[in-house]
């Protein structure tokens, strides 16, 4: 299978890649050239249909983060690792007589240079280094190199940014690009291909859905036709006016990611209940969809995937709740407190969502969307087994009993 990859890079990077693209016969590449890494965010929306997107470095990858995360396909980038540093320094050593302390370098991670020099026993002298990040100013980077050469402290600039290279050349200053080893580029493109193949495989897996009007009346054939066509699904009617959909995981994820669900709700004569299930088999996907249906309320949708993770409610919220516990510590907590894996997962998410480690029963009640009695019962179970403790009280009103302030006493960053 030939995988189509959109490659974003500078003109020189793409020119070099084209010299050995024939060594990747199973990959077809479409090239998109930028002048500065910042332009990547504007290029991504113009990319034609492909299987994955490859960025020539971490800077364009970071700049394009917002639009990149909206893509329905995977994206990857070429990391500037110690192999690139070593190759560049070795090239300078063989082609010039410039000592390392007379070199200026701009790069993402200056520590990489220090690591390489220490590995070869060079610990007395280091180049001048400037750390670059998404907030860098092109003029500042050029000035960094130019000032060092003008003062005689540096004899050669090594840059990771094509626009800096061009500006230095225009100013008749000594400059070279950081060298990305051919093997690193080939390996990274192969990694991108593997990501695309995995995404295709996952997307093609079967998904089962259930759809039902909350008033238990029959869904019109016109609505069923519109729903099934938007998700490329076939459907069958089951008992109690419940309809089962057969689709693929990729189509379901597209529906959940876009505003398709809201269109379904607008077309329905009364509130809809929608549930989806993924699984390694049709039987497992069907059972997961049935289980997800228990969580659904009016005009919402839930999904249980093949990892037994409950996602939803869509389209307004997309929390992820673990419905099974694999971690031994959390399994022990669930066993001792008799709390369900779902509740344990929700408590962990509650903890991660807060800016403070302190909370009240009311805070937990609001987050879990349960009654005060339920939240207090959960807290009592945690307290009884040492997984939570009372650390104080608060009295924000004039009458009544003060409210206890709690703190969790188990790891929540698993």
């Amino acid at each position: 299978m030939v995988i189509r990859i959109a490659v974003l890079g500078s003109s020189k990077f793409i020119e070099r890649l084209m010299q050995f693209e024939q060594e990747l016969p199973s990959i077809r590449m479409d090239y998109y050239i930028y002048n500065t890494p910042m332009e990547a965010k504007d290029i991504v929306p113009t990319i034609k249909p492909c299987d994955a997107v490859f960025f020539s470095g971490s800077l364009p990858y970071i700049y394009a983060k917002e639009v990149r995360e909206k893509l329905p396909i995977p994206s990857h980038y070429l990391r500037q690792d110690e192999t690139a540093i070593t190759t560049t320094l070795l090239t300078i050593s063989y082609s010039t007589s410039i000592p390392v302390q007379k070199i200026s370098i701009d790069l993402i991670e200056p520590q990489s240079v220090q690591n390489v020099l220490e590995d070869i026993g060079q610990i007395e002298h280091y180049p001048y280094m400037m750390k670059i990040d998404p907030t860098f100013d092109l003029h500042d980077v050029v000035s960094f190199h130019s000032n060092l050469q003008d003062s005689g402290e540096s004899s050669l600039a090594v840059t990771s940014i094509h626009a800096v290279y061009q500006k230095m050349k225009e100013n008749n200053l000594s400059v070279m690009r950081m060298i990305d080893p051919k093997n690193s580029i080939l390996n990274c493109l192969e990694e991108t291909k593997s990501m695309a193949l995995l995404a295709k495989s996952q997307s093609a897996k079967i998904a089962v859905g259930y759809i039902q009007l909350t008033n238990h009346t029959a869904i019109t054939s016109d609505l069923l036709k519109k729903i099934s066509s938007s998700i490329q699904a076939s459907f069958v009617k089951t008992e109690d006016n419940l309809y089962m959909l057969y689709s693929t995981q990729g189509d379901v994820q597209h529906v959940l990611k876009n505003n398709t669900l809201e269109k379904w709700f607008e077309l329905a004569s009364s509130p809809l209940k929608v549930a989806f299930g993924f699984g390694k088999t049709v039987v497992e996907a069907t059972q997961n969809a049935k289980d997800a249906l228990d969580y659904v309320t009016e005009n919402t949708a839930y999904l249980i995937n093949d990892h037994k993770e409950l996602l939803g409610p869509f389209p307004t919220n997309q929390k992820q709740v673990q419905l099974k516990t694999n971690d031994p510590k959390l399994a022990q907590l669930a066993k001792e407190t008799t709390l369900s894996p779902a509740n344990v997962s929700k408590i962990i998410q509650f903890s991660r969502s807060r800016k403070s480690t302190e909370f009240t029963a009311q805070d937990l009640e609001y987050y879990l969307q349960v009654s005060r009695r339920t939240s207090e019962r959960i807290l009592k179970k945690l307290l009884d087994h040492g997984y939570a403790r009372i650390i104080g009280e608060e009295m924000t009103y004039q009458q009544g009993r003060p409210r206890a302030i709690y703190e969790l006493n188990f790891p929540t960053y698993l």
Side-chain angles (χ1 to χ4, degrees), residues 162-178:
H162 181 64
V164 172
Y165 175 85
Q166 290 180 314
K167 195 66 177 176
M168 295 285 288
K169 277 292 188 183
E170 291 172 6
N171 295 337
N172 295 316
L173 294 170
S174 180
V175 63
M176 68 173 287
R177 299 182 188 86
M178 185 74 71

Side-chain angles (χ1 to χ4, degrees), residues 53 132 205 216 218 226-227 244 307 309 312 322:
V53 180
I132 54 175
K205 287 183 179 179
H216 297 288
K226 288 179 179 178
I227 289 175
M244 180 182 286
H307 300 296
E309 295 169 338
Q322 294 282 350

